[in-house]
Amino acid sequence: MVEEESVRVVRCGGSELNFRRAVFSADSKYIFCVSGDFVKVHSTATEECVHILQGHRNLVTGIQLNPNNHLQLYSCSFDGTIKLWDYIDGILIKTFIVGHKLHAIFTLACAEDSVFVIINKEKPDVFQLVSVKLPKSSSQEIEAKELSFVLDYINQSPKCIAFGNEGEYVAAVRDFYLSVYFFKKKTTSRFTLSSSKNKKHAKNNFTCVACHPKEDCIATGHKDGKIRLWRNFDDGKKYTYTCLHWHHDMVMDLAFSVTGTSLLSGGRESVLVEWRDATEKNKEFLPRLGATIEHISVSPAGDLFCTSHSDNKIIIIHRNLEASAVIQGLVKDSSISTGLMIDPRTKALVLNGKPGHLQFYSLQHDKQLYNLDIIQQEYINDYGLIQIELTKAAFGCYGNWLATVEKRQEKETELDLQMKLWMYNKKTQGFVLNTKINMPHEDHITAVCFCNAEKFENPTLVTASKDGHFKVWILTDDSDIYKKAVGWTCDFVGSYHKYQATNCCFSEDGSLLAVSFEEIVTIWDSETWELKCTFCQRAGNIRHLCFGRLTCSKYLLGATENGILCCWNLLSCALEWSAKLNIRVMEPDPHSENIAAISQSSVGSDLFVFKPSEPRPLYIQKNISREEVQWGVFVLRDVPESFTSEAYQWLNRSQFYFLTKSQSLLTFSTKSPEEKLTPTSKQLLAEESLPTTPFYFILGKHREQQDEKTNEALESERVQLPLTENIPAISELLHTPAHVLPSASFLCSKFVNSLLLSKETKSEEIPEDVDMEEEKESDDSDEENDFTEKTQDTNDTDLGEDIIHQLSKSEEKELRKFRKVDYSWLTVL
Amino acid sequence: MAGYKPAAIQTYPVLGEKITQDTLYWNNYKTPVQIKEFGAVSKVDFSPQPPYNYAVTASSRIHIYGRYSQEPIKTFSRFKDTAYCATFRQDGRLLVAGSEDGGVQLFDISGRAPLRQFEGHTKAVHTVDFTADKYHVVSGADDYTVKLWDIPNSKEILTFKEHSDYVRCGCASKLNPDLFVTGSYDHTVKMFDTRTNKSVISVEHGQPVEGVLLFPSGGLLASAGGRYVKIWDMLKGGQLLVSLKNHHKTVTCLYLSSSGQRLLSGSLDRKVKVYSTTSYKVVHSFDYAASILSLALAHEDETIVVGMTNGILSVKHRKSEAKKDSLPRRRRPAYRTFIKGKNYMKQRDDILINRPSKKHLELYDRDLKNFRISKALDRVLEPSCTVKTPEITVSIIKELNRRGVLANALAGRDEKEISRVLNFLIRNLSQPRFAPVLINAAEIIIDIYLPVIGQSPVVDKKFLLLQGLVEKEIDYQRELLETLGMMDMLFATMTRKESTSVLQHTSDGFLENKKVES
């Protein structure tokens, strides 16, 4: 049934939420944030994503509320358009085509029909603030080419532009100067700080600017952590400034509260500082926000703040400096050294998160599930500090165990390694630290792998290290009569001629362990830990090692640094085949024999899918990404696809995700991202505009369905997805506490109806035009329960009528023929 | 957001014997009092009634000792030959003993001459006991018979001739007046019922049985013989529950602790082992100077008395715990202060502000939280911390290093403070578990204080001491490496089979590239 579309590389979630300041709706119920090519609307109370505003073709670079209608939202993008949205319904109202690459957007209440945008001129880093007149027109797409120049030579970041005192002036900062443009006088004043030549003021650079909402006061943030408050700047000579200094590193963003009584600032310290009455004494702190504060914004109602952080997170904070909600995307700021893993329990993607944490990220919902604190130490956010890094992680025994390795290396000789083993606790539904091993090896650990075979009831872990050893760790029972305890101990240490161990891998049944020592692959018996055999191809160090699976379990694959892929047969202990391929990523599919390999060339990365039993690849896709691909992982699909073409069969049961060097998460799909949203979530989106009570789900849906009968376009979509659509309604009914439900007799008919409706729509499909008439005829019956049965009955009669009708037609024809023949014959006679 | 995370304190495995509740309990005895008897002490029995005197059978005498007396408060010496198995009655007023000549004698503990003499055994009587109804005595003898005697009219009631070898141990049930158990050198333990005049249960121990013990409930039976202690489930008709082989010589005696949770066994290998009666694992063991023949515990385990073959009686008393609550307790706030305002109902316009629960932080953690780094370091360099818990000091130094502020914390110290740091380094630098952290700290100190060297003789002396220590350590490591080289060579000459043995490399290499100038 699925058409043979070409498989494309699709970006799947995990875009930056912290790229620009988030914006609150006027009633503080919603918060908007840019997310790649989309704008996301989140509820401030529940953190849930309510809408995704899709339509831009490139990165969205700015969002602002329409000052004249606070139910509308402007967004601008690199694709050169400004779009106006109705965020409550998630509908695109208008598109203004500007033509230039837009870097930011600003709106002013006094400038009714124009907005301000930052564009760049011919030179790459010369930016201008221009005002764009938005023409009034009823059409959907409008050209807006009327630009008027406001300020030149500004910083591209919207943090460096601020409009003050109800739009009387605009302040812009860049490098060492602050320029203020007065709209009424149409003049620009420029204030310069002592420049970098003076060593004392070397870090005087402006980083951000904010304007007081009521008074003539501009606050600027600086690279050395100072905040300056400028006054009397309408006079070029008599201007004054006062200094506030708490931050020890760059001030990343500033914001005034709505009334202007307090100023908020944040930076690398990840502490939100509230300066009351603009004095140095009165300050309040909200410490330990987790990561560098990138942006601060304030809701128009004044009751909420929000901070965007470098770890792709937005924290919503109450007026009394109490964090109330966290919107967390895929954390991408640290380098991914653990690789991509799948948690066998939650099916979540697991990788490095914020420093010292492992993040569990749901691929289906593009949402972080939770963070597991691995390092469990106070994070000191300081530039140039050598932090403890989480380098390796592995899941074992169906998600019951998690092994993590962390390291801190200050100098060449001082290496601090720690391995931690975490046990899944069913009661608390989380991982609990079981064993901590200091210095498990004397040098860097290169690979960690669990034995996942079923026959091993005793969990086994193998670590390979650059110190030339690999160690086997087993779970031992440590309990006595006083307490029950299990812990991990070293069972075996193996080495091969003091070569560095680079990879390790268990076979599918757990009977063999393959460890690669530089160029040599060694095979060990996992029962006795005896060396069985060695393979050596003299083709460079082994970079990847994996066993074949299922029917191909007799093969062992190794990819070397010199660009050779080798396949050894374990039965004959001989090389089966080899191919010249510079492999960066090699991932076996855990549910089939397929192995995906991504090779790197000067042009880009290519994907090869093959089975170890034959050297011919099943599928090749050239140029999946221009960048280097760093990690890949197979994920089992929830619903298997059915590609009939042989080339795509590897995608039937699993999906392949990969991560590039710039840390964008990509996958292969035939569908566009809009289609990827499941119908249930789509339905939820449409209904979010009304207050969503359980009653609404049951009663409102029914009303909607009646309305939809007329709407044919929706109808057809409905027909495609029959049963699933009613699931939210039913589950909502079942999950609502009994004491808030109306009487059962009232709900019963609706509920039964909602169960039956899917069938109705199916049957409706065939006699669409006749149906309307039939309904008119059966108008006297109001009972909803009978409705579906009736339509089915009428269907039957319909068909019957049809047959009769057709029969009569053919008969008529026949008769006519007869008649003709008869007549001719008669005439001849 | 998330609260302050306290500094990670490195924990190191405690070497040596594991400290458990049992080791604490059984080690909480004073040094033993040794009493010399005339011969091997074959039996010790505590009176079940206060003041818990105990009878010691050795050679041809029976001594009664008071709880703390080192001299016998009473002696029964009217035996022609060796006396055996002096046992108190449940009320503590009568004492029965067997003897080598086959007689069984009953004494009043206030009198001197025997009240009754039961004649009938032809050979030595090694075991006697009172039945639960207090009016009968059970005795087992080397003539293979077991006899039941009536005390009031000193008559023999029953004779059991089922054993085929010496009967050397026995025990009457504490609950049922008709049941008793005897163990014999014919490798069997038999339970007799006086109502049926024959044995009801017989179990095969496998070795000559030296001791039997019925558990207070009567459901379990412990027997000792050979190197084994075996536990039998009597309710299942004498099924073997568990066989314990923890001694390497014959087990001679068994005793149950007063709580019934621990079983003690004494053996000729000069050890007393303590078993848990739930898991039957050895939880503790005592060593004695000679082979143990008898063993008894006083009421509430207050005293352990062990009799040995060399005639020494070892008496251990529990340490008194009266001292601890002598300090006057500080007055705590009343209960109502804690529940103050807890049951206040929220009104309509009230705004509920939750106060976060305060987490207890150590003092050094409080300093670290507020970035008072020098103060945090000072705190862990207090002598109370450095001596008792050097790992905390080292962990804080490591934490400061992680934060990149160790140099700041170490700088700007006066003579007294720097000598305190140096003292700590001198004491702990050579310990392999602390070495990586402390060498780094020592380097930083040398870098910081190099310009002011020679200004204080105290500090200079400390630096010289440190230098000497490092040189010694380097020599030591070199020697270790040499030894390791020799061992490697030896291992290399051995067959490949031995190659799996793991060499534990000592923490070498740390100190070699270490420059010390002072």
Side-chain angles (χ1 to χ4, degrees):
Chain A
M1 66 178 254
V2 174
E3 284 176 54
E4 286 306 321
E5 290 180 75
S6 65
V7 169
R8 297 183 289 122
V9 176
V10 177
R11 176 187 270 275
C12 58
S15 14
E16 277 184 16
L17 300 174
N18 58 348
F19 182 58
R20 289 291 187 246
R21 274 182 197 152
V23 173
F24 283 97
S25 68
D27 54 0
S28 304
K29 264 191 180 169
Y30 299 107
I31 185 166
F32 314 106
C33 54
V34 301
S35 166
D37 301 354
F38 311 134
V39 178
K40 280 191 174 176
V41 185
H42 285 267
S43 159
T44 52
T46 63
E47 314 170 6
E48 284 299 315
C49 179
V50 181
H51 293 293
I52 299 175
L53 307 180
Q54 306 169 341
H56 281 295
R57 298 274 162 84
N58 205 336
L59 206 62
V60 179
T61 51
I63 42 174
Q64 285 290 333
L65 281 185
N66 185 353
N68 305 315
N69 182 354
H70 61 77
L71 297 178
Q72 294 178 347
L73 182 78
Y74 282 113
S75 70
C76 72
S77 156
F78 277 155
D79 63 1
T81 58
I82 298 170
K83 288 183 194 271
L84 184 64
W85 307 88
D86 179 350
Y87 63 80
I88 289 195
D89 297 330
I91 301 167
L92 176 64
I93 302 171
K94 271 178 190 170
T95 305
F96 303 98
I97 300 164
V98 182
H100 295 272
K101 222 177 177 186
L102 306 176
H103 288 267
I105 186 167
F106 303 93
T107 55
L108 271 185
C110 53
E112 277 189 11
D113 52 350
S114 58
V115 293
F116 299 89
V117 293
I118 298 178
I119 58 171
N120 68 330
K121 288 282 279 298
E122 300 76 32
K123 282 190 216 162
D125 65 333
V126 176
F127 294 90
Q128 284 186 338
L129 179 70
V130 295
S131 119
V132 180
K133 194 157 167 56
L134 302 177
K136 286 211 165 72
S137 164
S138 57
S139 65
Q140 277 270 317
E141 291 206 357
I142 309 158
E143 299 257 324
K145 299 284 184 192
E146 204 177 315
L147 309 180
S148 53
F149 165 80
V150 180
L151 267 177
D152 205 350
Y153 288 102
I154 56 168
N155 204 319
Q156 71 174 97
S157 163
K159 282 195 283 191
C160 299
I161 300 280
F163 289 82
N165 207 354
E166 277 137 24
E168 277 188 11
Y169 57 89
V170 56
V173 294
R174 185 185 165 126
D175 300 338
F176 292 98
Y177 54 82
L178 161 74
S179 32
V180 184
Y181 176 80
F182 296 93
F183 286 103
K184 277 185 188 156
K185 292 192 273 181
K186 297 211 188 299
T187 53
T188 310
S189 323
R190 185 167 279 199
F191 309 95
T192 313
L193 286 177
S194 51
S195 69
S196 60
K197 281 166 202 161
N198 189 339
K199 197 147 194 211
K200 193 185 161 198
H201 302 293
K203 286 180 158 183
N204 253 343
N205 313 40
F206 286 91
T207 53
C208 53
V209 65
C211 290
H212 197 288
K214 299 273 161 63
E215 298 164 27
D216 279 343
C217 173
I218 298 173
T220 57
H222 298 264
K223 211 173 174 184
D224 56 356
K226 279 186 184 146
I227 299 166
R228 287 188 169 84
L229 292 167
W230 303 74
R231 288 172 213 276
N232 293 334
F233 43 80
D234 46 354
D235 192 326
K237 301 248 171 63
K238 280 199 279 180
Y239 73 90
T240 58
Y241 65 77
T242 52
C243 233
L244 302 173
H245 198 175
W246 179 86
H247 294 277
H248 76 261
D249 212 324
M250 187 159 92
V251 179
M252 293 294 279
D253 202 7
L254 288 169
F256 275 102
S257 67
V258 174
T259 52
T261 49
S262 62
L263 173 69
L264 299 161
S265 68
R268 189 190 283 281
E269 303 87 358
S270 49
V271 179
L272 182 69
V273 187
E274 185 184 9
W275 308 82
R276 301 237 161 107
D277 312 319
T279 49
E280 191 128 339
K281 272 184 217 154
N282 283 342
K283 48 183 190 285
E284 297 278 324
F285 303 103
L286 180 62
R288 279 181 277 281
L289 291 174
T292 306
I293 296 175
E294 300 260 349
H295 302 281
I296 302 171
S297 50
V298 178
S299 76
D303 57 341
L304 294 176
F305 309 136
C306 88
T307 51
S308 311
H309 296 261
S310 59
D311 62 352
N312 212 7
K313 158 175 83 175
I314 296 175
I315 300 183
I316 298 165
I317 297 162
H318 263 289
R319 184 73 195 81
N320 56 359
L321 290 188
E322 210 170 87
S324 70
V326 180
I327 299 163
Q328 173 87 62
L330 183 67
V331 182
K332 299 204 291 188
D333 66 339
S334 59
S335 68
I336 306 297
S337 48
T338 58
L340 303 179
M341 287 169 293
I342 296 297
D343 176 18
R345 279 179 192 275
T346 57
K347 306 282 178 261
L349 186 71
V350 181
L351 63 160
N352 280 127
K354 55 184 188 178
H357 288 67
L358 212 55
Q359 62 175 329
F360 288 67
Y361 176 82
S362 165
L363 287 164
Q364 281 78 30
H365 303 102
D366 184 19
K367 196 172 117 184
Q368 199 182 61
L369 298 178
Y370 67 96
N371 263 317
L372 181 64
D373 187 358
I374 300 291
I375 289 181
Q376 297 184 323
Q377 283 188 30
E378 183 79 354
Y379 181 64
I380 305 296
N381 217 331
D382 209 346
Y383 179 74
L385 198 65
I386 298 154
Q387 306 282 3
I388 303 177
E389 288 169 55
L390 179 62
T391 54
K392 290 275 177 275
F395 283 98
C397 310
Y398 313 102
N400 278 331
W401 287 97
L402 168 68
T404 59
V405 178
E406 60 208 57
K407 72 145 201 231
R408 181 175 185 275
Q409 187 164 33
E410 197 157 354
K411 289 173 215 156
E412 193 62 34
T413 51
E414 286 171 25
L415 179 71
D416 205 359
L417 277 181
Q418 203 163 52
M419 184 159 81
K420 284 176 179 163
L421 287 134
W422 307 75
M423 188 166 69
Y424 187 80
N425 189 331
K426 283 201 181 106
K427 224 178 247 171
T428 56
Q429 295 283 305
F431 283 98
V432 182
L433 184 62
N434 177 273
T435 308
K436 200 158 80 174
I437 300 161
N438 271 325
M439 294 302 286
H441 283 277
E442 271 149 49
D443 209 339
H444 295 271
I445 290 183
T446 51
V448 177
C449 88
F450 272 100
C451 177
N452 280 331
E454 278 161 36
K455 69 165 185 173
F456 277 76
E457 66 281 350
N458 197 8
T460 310
L461 172 76
V462 173
T463 55
S465 160
K466 278 187 181 170
D467 64 0
H469 297 289
F470 74 91
K471 289 192 184 178
V472 180
W473 308 83
I474 52 163
L475 186 67
T476 46
D477 197 351
D478 211 18
S479 50
D480 47 24
I481 59 164
Y482 309 104
K483 60 176 196 305
K484 280 216 156 97
V486 285
W488 290 77
T489 47
C490 186
D491 187 43
F492 176 72
V493 182
S495 63
Y496 189 79
H497 295 291
K498 303 273 180 196
Y499 287 129
Q500 293 186 352
T502 49
N503 280 296
C504 60
C505 171
F506 270 104
S507 68
E508 192 186 12
D509 61 351
S511 62
L512 292 178
L513 168 73
V515 184
S516 69
F517 290 93
E518 296 180 13
E519 290 190 336
I520 297 150
V521 180
T522 55
I523 309 290
W524 304 73
D525 185 354
S526 66
E527 295 274 334
T528 56
W529 302 116
E530 260 174 49
L531 183 62
K532 286 280 173 192
C533 63
T534 58
F535 298 117
C536 179
Q537 212 54 42
R538 292 282 164 217
N541 290 354
I542 304 284
R543 192 185 273 158
H544 296 285
L545 196 64
C546 74
F547 278 94
R549 306 188 63 86
L550 306 172
T551 57
C552 300
S553 54
K554 62 178 176 181
Y555 297 105
L556 173 70
L557 288 156
T560 69
E561 276 175 1
N562 293 2
I564 306 284
L565 174 66
C566 303
C567 178
W568 291 284
N569 190 333
L570 294 168
L571 298 179
S572 63
C573 288
L575 186 72
E576 191 87 1
W577 54 269
S578 70
K580 190 145 181 64
L581 203 58
N582 185 19
I583 288 181
R584 291 280 149 170
V585 175
M586 187 160 76
E587 269 297 313
D589 184 354
H591 305 284
S592 69
E593 296 102 352
N594 299 327
I595 288 174
I598 295 175
S599 77
Q600 170 80 18
S601 64
S602 54
V603 194
S605 302
D606 307 326
L607 173 83
F608 299 87
V609 180
F610 59 92
K611 284 185 184 178
S613 52
E614 46 189 328
R616 183 180 61 86
L618 293 171
Y619 177 74
I620 301 175
Q621 180 145 356
K622 294 267 181 197
N623 248 334
I624 51 170
S625 149
R626 238 168 294 143
E627 299 168 279
E628 185 185 326
V629 175
Q630 286 192 317
W631 303 99
V633 71
F634 274 101
V635 181
L636 190 67
R637 280 185 201 270
D638 291 338
V639 184
E641 298 268 346
S642 50
F643 294 108
T644 44
S645 143
E646 201 180 329
Y648 299 142
Q649 267 178 5
W650 64 283
L651 281 170
N652 275 353
R653 292 194 61 203
S654 339
Q655 202 165 4
F656 187 64
Y657 287 87
F658 58 96
L659 193 76
T660 61
K661 200 169 185 182
S662 68
Q663 297 181 5
S664 42
L665 188 65
L666 305 169
T667 187
F668 292 96
S669 172
T670 52
K671 295 175 192 167
S672 60
E674 294 99 278
E675 283 174 78
K676 267 170 55 181
L677 284 175
T678 54
T680 50
S681 67
K682 207 166 195 177
Q683 197 131 30
L684 277 174
L685 296 185
E687 285 159 3
E688 198 68 34
S689 49
L690 283 178
T692 48
T693 57
F695 296 109
Y696 170 76
F697 268 107
I698 298 151
L699 303 177
K701 182 163 309 251
H702 175 66
R703 200 184 310 133
E704 203 177 70
Q705 274 159 359
Q706 279 186 330
D707 293 345
E708 275 178 4
K709 271 176 197 159
T710 50
N711 191 344
E712 278 192 10
L714 271 175
E715 197 95 32
S716 60
E717 194 185 313
R718 186 172 288 280
V719 172
Q720 272 189 353
L721 315 155
L723 276 164
T724 50
E725 50 144 42
N726 283 316
I727 287 169
I730 294 162
S731 66
E732 209 62 38
L733 174 69
L734 297 175
H735 293 157
T736 310
H739 59 91
V740 299
L741 274 176
S743 73
S745 58
F746 179 68
L747 287 174
C748 241
S749 60
K750 318 280 185 217
F751 178 67
V752 170
N753 230 356
S754 70
L755 283 171
L756 289 172
L757 268 170
S758 61
K759 217 173 181 183
E760 174 212 26
T761 51
K762 253 188 194 165
S763 54
E764 258 176 15
E765 193 182 19
I766 316 158
E768 221 159 48
D769 44 352
V770 194
D771 194 48
M772 300 300 285
E773 297 164 23
E774 290 297 324
E775 245 183 54
K776 273 174 203 161
E777 281 172 21
S778 60
D779 239 5
D780 47 350
S781 67
D782 293 334
E783 277 299 312
E784 298 291 331
N785 302 30
D786 306 350
F787 182 67
T788 46
E789 288 172 34
K790 197 149 281 173
T791 50
Q792 275 192 327
D793 285 351
T794 53
N795 286 346
D796 289 352
T797 55
D798 278 351
L799 287 168
E801 265 182 22
D802 260 12
I803 293 159
I804 293 162
H805 192 65
Q806 282 201 341
L807 269 171
S808 64
K809 259 186 182 173
S810 60
E811 267 184 337
E812 244 179 355
K813 270 185 183 172
E814 203 75 3
L815 280 170
R816 264 180 212 156
K817 263 187 191 171
F818 259 102
R819 237 181 257 168
K820 268 186 182 174
V821 175
D822 267 358
Y823 268 106
S824 62
W825 186 66
L826 271 172
T827 46
V828 170
L829 240 169
Chain B
M1 298 310 289
Y4 173 79
K5 290 173 199 157
I9 302 299
Q10 194 69 54
T11 50
Y12 295 96
V14 184
L15 299 176
E17 199 185 349
K18 248 190 214 163
I19 293 172
T20 61
Q21 293 152 293
D22 273 288
T23 52
L24 291 176
Y25 184 84
W26 295 110
N27 281 332
N28 192 23
Y29 285 91
K30 295 176 190 166
T31 44
V33 177
Q34 309 257 352
I35 300 168
K36 179 77 184 145
E37 291 286 336
F38 293 101
V41 181
S42 62
K43 172 81 178 176
V44 180
D45 189 48
F46 270 93
S47 161
Q49 297 301 322
Y52 308 116
N53 295 332
Y54 56 94
V56 175
T57 316
S59 182
S60 61
R61 285 159 201 250
I62 297 166
H63 290 301
I64 311 269
Y65 289 91
R67 197 165 162 198
Y68 294 110
S69 66
Q70 305 221 6
E71 294 294 318
I73 53 175
K74 194 157 181 70
T75 305
F76 299 99
S77 53
R78 304 236 174 128
F79 290 96
K80 289 176 201 116
D81 211 334
T82 314
Y84 293 109
C85 196
T87 309
F88 280 102
R89 199 165 77 166
Q90 287 87 322
D91 58 4
R93 295 173 63 182
L94 292 184
L95 186 81
V96 71
S99 75
E100 185 68 45
D101 58 5
V104 176
Q105 301 189 15
L106 185 73
F107 298 93
D108 185 347
I109 55 159
S110 51
R112 197 167 281 276
L115 286 179
R116 298 276 190 281
Q117 291 202 357
F118 306 108
E119 300 292 341
H121 283 296
T122 53
K123 278 185 180 165
V125 179
H126 275 268
T127 174
V128 284
D129 200 1
F130 289 95
T131 59
D133 62 2
K134 303 186 200 169
Y135 302 125
H136 299 95
V137 168
V138 177
S139 66
D142 285 357
D143 58 2
Y144 310 167
T145 60
V146 176
K147 287 181 192 286
L148 183 73
W149 308 88
D150 186 37
I151 295 173
N153 46 22
S154 67
K155 265 190 186 162
E156 176 189 324
I157 299 173
L158 280 169
T159 305
F160 301 96
K161 292 180 180 166
E162 295 191 21
H163 283 296
S164 55
D165 207 335
Y166 299 157
V167 179
R168 282 289 165 91
C169 55
C171 172
S173 164
K174 299 266 193 307
L175 297 174
N176 192 327
D178 299 317
L179 287 181
F180 61 91
V181 178
T182 55
S184 152
Y185 276 13
D186 63 359
H187 302 188
T188 60
V189 176
K190 287 183 194 287
M191 176 175 261
F192 295 98
D193 190 339
T194 54
R195 293 164 294 196
T196 61
N197 67 37
K198 63 173 196 263
S199 70
V200 283
I201 295 170
S202 174
V203 296
E204 188 69 29
H205 181 83
Q207 274 82 24
V209 183
E210 296 280 358
V212 288
L213 182 73
L214 264 174
F215 278 56
S217 67
L220 292 180
L221 172 77
S223 64
R227 292 160 62 193
Y228 295 89
V229 175
K230 292 187 177 177
I231 313 290
W232 311 87
D233 190 343
M234 300 314 273
L235 298 179
K236 279 191 183 169
Q239 196 184 41
L240 180 66
L241 202 65
V242 66
S243 172
L244 307 169
K245 188 187 170 192
N246 295 95
H247 289 283
H248 55 264
K249 277 186 185 166
T250 303
V251 183
T252 53
C253 50
L254 293 170
Y255 210 87
L256 207 58
S257 80
S258 57
S259 64
Q261 299 291 312
R262 300 285 181 266
L263 176 71
L264 287 86
S265 68
S267 152
L268 296 179
D269 65 0
R270 300 185 286 190
K271 278 186 171 31
V272 172
K273 303 255 179 195
V274 184
Y275 308 87
S276 156
T277 52
T278 46
S279 67
Y280 295 106
K281 295 261 164 58
V282 175
V283 294
H284 193 69
S285 98
F286 300 103
D287 283 337
Y288 283 93
S291 300
I292 294 158
L293 287 181
S294 56
L295 163 75
L297 269 78
H299 178 73
E300 297 290 327
D301 301 343
E302 285 297 324
T303 317
I304 303 174
V305 182
V306 167
M308 288 172 275
T309 47
N310 59 357
I312 299 279
L313 188 70
S314 159
V315 184
K316 281 204 275 192
H317 293 287
R318 178 172 288 283
K319 284 178 188 161
S320 58
E321 291 165 13
K323 278 179 198 165
K324 279 188 180 165
D325 46 12
S326 59
L327 280 168
R329 279 184 62 197
R330 221 177 81 209
R331 237 197 115 194
R332 296 269 161 77
Y335 175 64
R336 62 171 184 277
T337 44
F338 292 109
I339 58 159
K340 200 170 165 186
K342 280 275 182 341
N343 46 8
Y344 177 75
M345 295 297 284
K346 190 183 157 188
Q347 303 293 312
R348 197 160 51 87
D349 293 333
D350 290 351
I351 298 168
L352 190 72
I353 295 172
N354 286 323
R355 200 168 46 179
S357 61
K358 246 187 177 172
K359 213 163 51 175
H360 173 74
L361 289 177
E362 296 290 337
L363 288 173
Y364 52 80
D365 264 330
R366 270 183 231 176
D367 289 330
L368 283 177
K369 187 183 172 188
N370 293 318
F371 294 90
R372 295 190 295 254
I373 44 169
S374 292
K375 201 153 182 218
L377 187 60
D378 284 344
R379 246 185 236 288
V380 293
L381 284 171
E382 297 280 339
S384 59
C385 184
T386 53
V387 176
K388 248 188 186 169
T389 53
E391 65 269 16
I392 289 181
T393 314
V394 173
S395 297
I396 295 301
I397 292 174
K398 196 176 170 187
E399 170 74 11
L400 291 173
N401 187 39
R402 186 180 74 87
R403 292 177 173 217
V405 292
L406 183 58
N408 299 6
L410 286 169
R413 288 172 179 266
D414 60 18
E415 184 188 271
K416 198 177 149 199
E417 284 169 339
I418 192 68
S419 58
R420 190 185 268 180
V421 182
L422 287 172
N423 277 339
F424 180 74
L425 289 180
I426 288 164
R427 190 178 301 142
N428 293 297
L429 189 69
S430 55
Q431 291 196 34
R433 53 185 185 167
F434 299 146
V437 178
L438 293 186
I439 286 170
N440 183 29
E443 275 174 358
I444 290 172
I445 289 175
I446 291 165
D447 286 345
I448 292 172
Y449 294 98
L450 192 61
V452 294
I453 215 84
Q455 288 182 9
S456 152
V458 182
V459 175
D460 289 354
K461 217 166 118 189
K462 295 256 153 70
F463 271 119
L464 285 172
L465 211 63
L466 193 66
Q467 190 189 13
L469 186 81
V470 170
E471 277 165 7
K472 217 166 85 185
E473 188 65 24
I474 290 171
D475 288 342
Y476 181 56
Q477 293 291 341
R478 192 171 294 136
E479 270 175 48
L480 278 179
L481 280 174
E482 279 168 16
T483 319
L484 205 66
M486 285 191 279
M487 280 164 71
D488 273 345
M489 203 168 70
L490 287 174
F491 282 126
T493 55
M494 285 161 77
T495 50
R496 286 302 295 169
K497 247 183 197 172
E498 305 293 317
S499 67
T500 50
S501 65
V502 189
L503 290 182
Q504 279 302 315
H505 290 263
T506 45
S507 58
D508 49 331
F510 290 129
L511 297 160
E512 283 162 341
N513 48 8
K514 173 75 189 63
K515 58 172 202 307
V516 174
E517 51 227 307
S518 48

